[in-house]
């Protein structure tokens, strides 16, 4: 979980090393996704091909895994999945958590 506008993560899984520059680019990409659509999205040192990007969520793919990000009023959730999960389940989990945070003022 990172703040809107980018910055140090508010909460992170141990070993998931997302950088401040990555969070800043991610945050800006919600209003203008052209850069990540052209060159990919870097999260925690991994580059993902962007499949979908709009004002609420960004989906990326790398091999059999991928990344799902969802924006709330105050933060961006980042979820990474592997070949042991499905993109649909990952998206559902991240999007539902984002909806919950929005409903509770975040």
């Amino acid at each position: 979980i990172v703040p809107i506008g980018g910055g140090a993560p508010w909460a992170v899984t141990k070993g998931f090393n997302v950088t401040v520059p990555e969070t800043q680019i991610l945050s800006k990409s919600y209003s203008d996704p052209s850069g990540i659509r052209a060159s990919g999205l870097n999260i925690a040192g991994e580059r993902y091909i962007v499949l979908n990007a709009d004002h609420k969520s960004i989906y990326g793919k790398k091999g059999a895994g991928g990344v799902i990000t969802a924006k709330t009023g105050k933060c961006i959730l980042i979820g990474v999945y592997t070949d042991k999960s499905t993109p649909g389940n990952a998206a559902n989990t991240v999007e539902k958590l984002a909806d919950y945070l929005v409903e509770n003022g975040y």
Side-chain angles (χ1 to χ4, degrees), residues 2-85:
V2 299
I4 295 289
W10 291 352
V12 66
T13 300
K14 186 177 181 179
F16 186 75
N17 299 314
V18 64
T19 67
V20 171
E22 289 172 337
T23 67
Q24 291 169 333
I25 291 168
L26 173 61
S27 185
K28 290 176 186 172
S29 296
Y30 280 94
S31 60
D32 180 10
S34 61
I36 62 169
R37 284 190 175 135
S39 62
L41 175 64
N42 291 315
I43 297 290
E46 298 291 333
R47 181 169 297 220
Y48 297 90
I49 297 168
V50 174
L51 304 175
N52 182 46
D54 60 34
H55 69 282
K56 185 178 176 193
S57 60
I58 296 172
Y59 295 8
K61 182 96 170 126
K62 180 178 180 177
V67 65
I68 308 291
T69 71
K71 181 179 168 189
T72 72
K74 297 182 181 180
C75 64
I76 299 171
L77 304 173
I78 303 170
V80 175
Y81 64 93
T82 66
D83 62 345
K84 303 208 184 310
S85 181

Side-chain angles (χ1 to χ4, degrees), residues 68-70 77-80 89-99:
I68 308 291
T69 71
L77 304 173
I78 303 170
V80 175
N89 285 343
N92 190 37
T93 300
V94 173
E95 297 277 357
K96 281 188 175 183
L97 181 54
D99 290 343

